[in-house]
Amino acid sequence: MLKNREVFSSFSVNDIQEAKDFYQGTLGIEVKDSPMGVIELQISGSNNVLIYPKPNHIPATFTVLNFPVDNIDDTADELIAKGVKFELYHTEHIKTDEKGISRDNGGPNIAWFRDPAGNILSILETTD
């Protein structure tokens, strides 16, 4: 029934214009305005991601978008220069360095940050 359907993901924000400014201006993603006051992130090689306004928005407590990058340090530095603040974790299972990058924790090098609505995003270093 659904196995041959093209899927897409979506998540909410409390301020659609602020989200558009962040995703387009800060992250450099092409953003398309869509009917009914929603926006679509146009991400090369992926399905579009729909972002919709929700007055009673509660930020996701999990990562809603992961951005694979070739060099996590360079990308983190570029985002920090644009005002992005990375999450710092010092838990039993996840530890980040002073830049906010988790290294050698059993997975890829990864760093988490939030959009203006508080949703969690990440950059993660790919190894080809």
Side-chain angles (χ1 to χ4, degrees):
M1 177 170 70
L2 299 178
K3 73 178 185 174
N4 295 322
R5 296 292 184 181
E6 190 171 316
V7 300
F8 65 93
S9 64
S10 65
F11 57 91
S12 70
V13 296
N14 56 342
D15 185 321
I16 202 73
Q17 185 59 52
E18 189 175 38
K20 182 178 180 180
D21 293 344
F22 175 76
Y23 285 96
Q24 190 168 35
T26 303
L27 300 186
I29 297 171
E30 185 177 339
V31 176
K32 177 182 171 189
D33 290 308
S34 292
M36 302 181 302
V38 303
I39 59 174
E40 286 182 48
L41 304 182
Q42 313 253 288
I43 301 171
S44 178
S46 298
N47 288 339
N48 294 347
V49 176
L50 184 76
I51 300 178
Y52 58 93
K54 185 176 178 191
N56 60 346
H57 165 76
I58 297 172
T61 58
F62 52 87
T63 309
V64 298
L65 284 178
N66 296 285
F67 295 96
V69 299
D70 294 327
N71 186 307
I72 196 164
D73 287 286
D74 290 348
T75 304
D77 289 342
E78 289 177 34
L79 290 171
I80 290 167
K82 291 184 172 199
V84 171
K85 294 185 183 342
F86 286 92
E87 299 292 304
L88 299 176
Y89 296 110
H90 300 287
T91 68
E92 179 182 346
H93 301 289
I94 300 174
K95 294 181 183 5
T96 57
D97 61 20
E98 66 283 345
K99 197 182 281 189
I101 300 172
S102 172
R103 303 173 196 270
D104 302 318
N105 282 307
N109 291 342
I110 186 168
W112 295 272
F113 60 101
R114 295 179 184 267
D115 72 2
N119 295 309
I120 302 169
L121 315 174
S122 84
I123 54 172
L124 62 115
E125 194 168 62
T126 57
T127 54
D128 292 335

